[in-house]
Amino acid sequence: MLFKKSTFLLLLFSCAIGSGEVHAQTKERPNIIVFIVDDMGWEDTSVPFWKEKTPLNNFYQTPNMERLASQGMKFTQAYASSVCSPSRVSLMSGMNAARHRVTNWTLNRNASVDAKDDELDFPLWNVNGMQPVDTIERSIFVNSLPQLLKENGYLTVHVGKAHFGAVGTPGADPINLGFDVNIAGHAAGGPGSFLGTENFGNNKDGTPKSPWGVPGLEEYYGQDIFLTEALTQKALKVLNDSLSNQKPFFLYMSHYAVHVPFNSDKRFYQKYIDKGATHVEAQYASMVEGMDKSLGDMMDFLESKHLTENTIILFISDNGGYAIQDRGRTGKKHRWNEPLKSGKGSAYEGGIRVPMLVKWPAVVKENSVTEYPVIIEDIFPTVLNMAGVKKTKTVQHIDGENFVSVLKANKQVNRKSAMYWHYPNSWGETGPGIGATSTVRDGDWKLIYWHKTQKKELFNIKNDIGEEQDLAMNNPKIVKRLSDKLGAYLRNVDAQMPIFKNTKAIVPYPDAVSDR
């Protein structure tokens, strides 16, 4: 259900007449913007997140990401899950996907999206996603990030892609998860269309042509406007209307871009054609630059309203770049993210390594860079700390680590604990690293455990970012150490595993398999 205008105005009025004590407590607290992009690869930007610029960094033009990087900290080793719903639930709950069990993307209630496999049956994972109640079957009950911020004095605003809960469940509506305002968020994880001339995938009367029709943007129907721009305009209007409110705001700016279906953002398409790009390359690049313009518009708004110095911006993507299609330049699929291997859906770096920037005026050193590894569930405790929410109880166990000390000091280079990924599912696509896997990264070492074959691959990410050399055979002690660590973690969180069709046996945890 969309947030009604009258309700919103009432909310603003009620906030404005709050006690002076509350005003004093909240006035100094920072506004927070989480700017999350869908399916944006680590190199889909002119900002280099590696030791050197890559050809892709030279191809894309994202001046506002450059601007944000110059004003904050760049994370060169930021990670998410390999597909969207697990990442988004982790961000909102602070839980690792192995624990919350929303391990694949969600859509319809009680319906799995797993593709059929000849050898494996997949577990009964939480297909209904994240929920604000404990009465929905096959879901994870959480105290969400926006709910906790709302309870601690924040106006919470959701704009764009939600993809938290299945159709027909409370979690499908961001309002039920603690947002005061919801614009265009619902159960589906992609748009029917990015084009206003196509009503963003809806009929003229606002009814969706498919589950992918973006809700609540009827005022733009028939107009020559891109979805990214429409969402930006709506977000800025909400923020502008809330200026008289004494509460700080939390804006979850969640773009549907750069998810399929690829559409040309005409504002930027031709410039990439003129650079020699193929049609698909130019389409995608235009969507990236449209997203970047949105970021710039946000930053310009903050400056015009004198909010810059008291607003934190955290920029991240929800998984690695989409690499199933051929862009036309390499003549091969799965090459969109080189030197990273593979892309979305993969356990390799191309599927999980993402761009991340944080601007926190007067706290984060401008134009700084850190190699400190972070994973998307770390955002939950970090944002709460930024907001001054230091003591809170949640129904869920928090796996994420607060990295505020890294932002403040830029000295910490060794992460306290390992990072884990768990995908006991089938995405439906094929390609390098795409399949049912469990993965651990500890320091520079990364172990991937393939559920179907029980094969283990070992890579030193610092020396081999492209994961070209499997070092498992030559480093049995490291393989055993990481297998034990990964197995212990999966047991601790009661992680689900697939089942072999022929024997009905559950795939063993990695430490129960001889190293090979």
Side-chain angles (χ1 to χ4, degrees):
M1 182 176 65
L2 293 175
F3 198 80
K4 295 181 180 179
K5 183 177 180 182
S6 59
T7 308
F8 179 50
L9 293 175
L10 179 62
L11 170 71
L12 294 182
F13 179 72
S14 64
C15 293
I17 61 174
S19 71
E21 181 182 1
V22 172
H23 292 180
Q25 291 174 347
T26 61
K27 198 171 183 180
E28 307 253 335
R29 297 167 75 183
N31 304 305
I32 301 171
I33 297 175
V34 171
F35 193 103
I36 183 167
V37 191
D38 197 9
D39 288 4
M40 181 184 178
W42 183 65
E43 299 167 272
D44 295 346
T45 169
S46 52
V47 177
F49 284 86
W50 195 29
K51 60 185 179 183
E52 61 192 56
K53 272 205 165 190
T54 70
L56 289 174
N57 294 145
N58 290 321
F59 173 69
Y60 293 106
Q61 295 184 29
T62 55
N64 294 296
M65 285 186 67
E66 294 179 28
R67 174 182 170 191
L68 185 62
S70 71
Q71 297 174 4
M73 179 177 288
K74 177 169 64 177
F75 284 73
T76 62
Q77 299 192 79
Y79 290 92
S81 292
S82 64
V83 292
C84 46
S85 291
S87 286
R88 291 166 186 273
V89 174
S90 290
L91 190 157
M92 286 290 163
S93 69
M95 304 172 77
N96 184 270
R99 190 188 298 272
H100 63 60
R101 294 186 172 185
V102 186
T103 47
N104 208 351
W105 61 278
T106 59
L107 183 58
N108 292 314
R109 186 164 183 163
N110 293 332
S112 174
V113 297
D114 285 322
K116 299 296 183 183
D117 188 274
D118 292 337
E119 298 180 44
L120 296 178
D121 284 325
F122 300 105
L124 296 176
W125 56 280
N126 282 335
V127 297
N128 292 326
M130 177 176 67
Q131 300 295 333
V133 293
D134 62 358
T135 56
I136 305 300
E137 68 281 4
R138 294 184 66 179
S139 70
I140 183 68
F141 170 40
V142 304
N143 299 128
S144 70
L145 178 60
Q147 183 64 47
L148 294 171
L149 291 172
K150 181 178 180 178
E151 292 170 358
N152 283 274
Y154 273 78
L155 174 68
T156 54
V157 180
H158 177 281
V159 179
K161 172 174 172 173
H163 208 193
F164 301 133
V167 173
T169 68
D173 186 347
I175 295 294
N176 295 326
L177 291 167
F179 285 103
D180 294 311
V181 181
N182 171 38
I183 296 169
H186 65 142
S193 171
F194 281 94
L195 305 179
T197 54
E198 298 179 356
N199 304 332
F200 310 118
N202 298 289
N203 297 306
K204 289 184 179 180
D205 63 359
T207 57
K209 293 181 179 179
S210 73
W212 315 106
V214 180
L217 299 176
E218 288 85 354
E219 65 198 87
Y220 296 104
Y221 283 9
Q223 295 185 27
D224 188 13
I225 188 171
F226 209 75
L227 176 58
T228 307
E229 179 67 19
L231 293 175
T232 305
Q233 290 182 11
K234 295 284 283 185
L236 294 180
K237 184 179 186 306
V238 170
L239 295 187
N240 188 65
D241 289 347
S242 71
L243 290 179
S244 60
N245 182 2
Q246 294 296 313
K247 291 185 176 183
F249 65 77
F250 169 68
L251 170 63
Y252 182 73
M253 187 71 208
S254 177
H255 277 297
Y256 283 95
V258 289
H259 196 281
V260 293
F262 296 160
N263 291 126
S264 300
D265 190 330
K266 293 190 294 186
R267 298 172 297 175
F268 309 105
Y269 173 81
Q270 189 60 43
K271 69 191 291 185
Y272 291 97
I273 292 292
D274 294 342
K275 290 175 66 173
T278 66
H279 170 63
V280 175
E281 285 179 319
Q283 274 190 320
Y284 186 81
S286 73
M287 293 170 69
V288 169
E289 192 160 350
M291 172 281 301
D292 184 77
K293 177 186 179 296
S294 173
L295 176 63
D297 290 346
M298 292 279 165
M299 297 174 73
D300 290 345
F301 172 83
L302 296 174
E303 290 182 2
S304 70
K305 302 301 180 180
H306 308 290
L307 298 171
T308 298
E309 295 307 310
N310 195 38
T311 302
I312 296 167
I313 302 176
L314 192 155
F315 179 105
I316 195 169
S317 174
D318 66 346
N319 48 249
Y322 189 73
I324 299 303
Q325 291 182 326
D326 168 32
R327 291 189 187 186
R329 187 158 296 197
T330 65
K332 297 180 181 180
K333 295 182 180 180
H334 315 295
R335 304 293 288 272
W336 283 35
N337 300 307
E338 286 186 336
L340 301 187
K341 194 172 186 177
S342 198
K344 177 180 177 177
S346 172
Y348 293 129
E349 293 291 286
I352 58 176
R353 190 181 280 226
V354 295
M356 179 170 154
L357 301 165
V358 179
K359 176 185 177 182
W360 189 357
V363 175
V364 170
K365 182 180 178 182
E366 292 187 352
N367 203 31
S368 56
V369 181
T370 181
E371 295 182 352
Y372 185 82
V374 294
I375 191 166
I376 198 160
E377 57 258 31
D378 296 342
I379 292 174
F380 181 95
T382 301
V383 166
L384 289 177
N385 186 281
M386 290 170 161
V389 183
K390 296 182 179 179
K391 291 183 179 180
T392 186
K393 292 183 179 180
T394 60
V395 295
Q396 74 271 22
H397 177 90
I398 306 303
D399 294 301
E401 293 186 8
N402 175 9
F403 56 85
V404 163
S405 62
V406 179
L407 293 168
K408 289 182 174 181
N410 192 24
K411 293 179 180 178
Q412 200 170 348
V413 293
N414 295 317
R415 185 180 173 90
K416 295 177 182 177
S417 64
M419 297 184 294
Y420 300 92
W421 295 263
H422 184 60
Y423 189 74
N425 304 87
S426 175
W427 185 39
E429 302 285 358
T430 59
I434 296 176
T437 53
S438 298
T439 305
V440 58
R441 178 169 174 186
D442 190 23
D444 295 329
W445 291 101
K446 177 180 174 182
L447 180 82
I448 302 175
Y449 172 60
W450 289 83
H451 295 172
K452 186 180 293 189
T453 62
Q454 288 91 68
K455 180 182 178 182
K456 298 173 183 178
E457 294 181 310
L458 179 70
F459 303 99
N460 186 293
I461 299 302
K462 182 176 182 180
N463 299 332
D464 179 22
I465 197 170
E467 294 166 294
E468 299 294 335
Q469 295 181 314
D470 179 3
L471 304 175
M473 290 292 290
N474 296 328
N475 295 274
K477 290 183 179 180
I478 297 176
V479 170
K480 185 179 187 310
R481 176 175 66 82
L482 293 182
S483 294
D484 290 347
K485 184 179 283 286
L486 179 57
Y489 182 79
L490 296 175
R491 281 188 178 82
N492 181 58
V493 301
D494 196 21
Q496 296 173 299
M497 300 296 285
I499 299 169
F500 292 112
K501 286 186 172 181
N502 60 344
T503 65
K504 306 303 179 184
I506 298 174
V507 172
Y509 288 136
D511 55 345
V513 175
S514 61
D515 298 332
R516 53 193 175 99

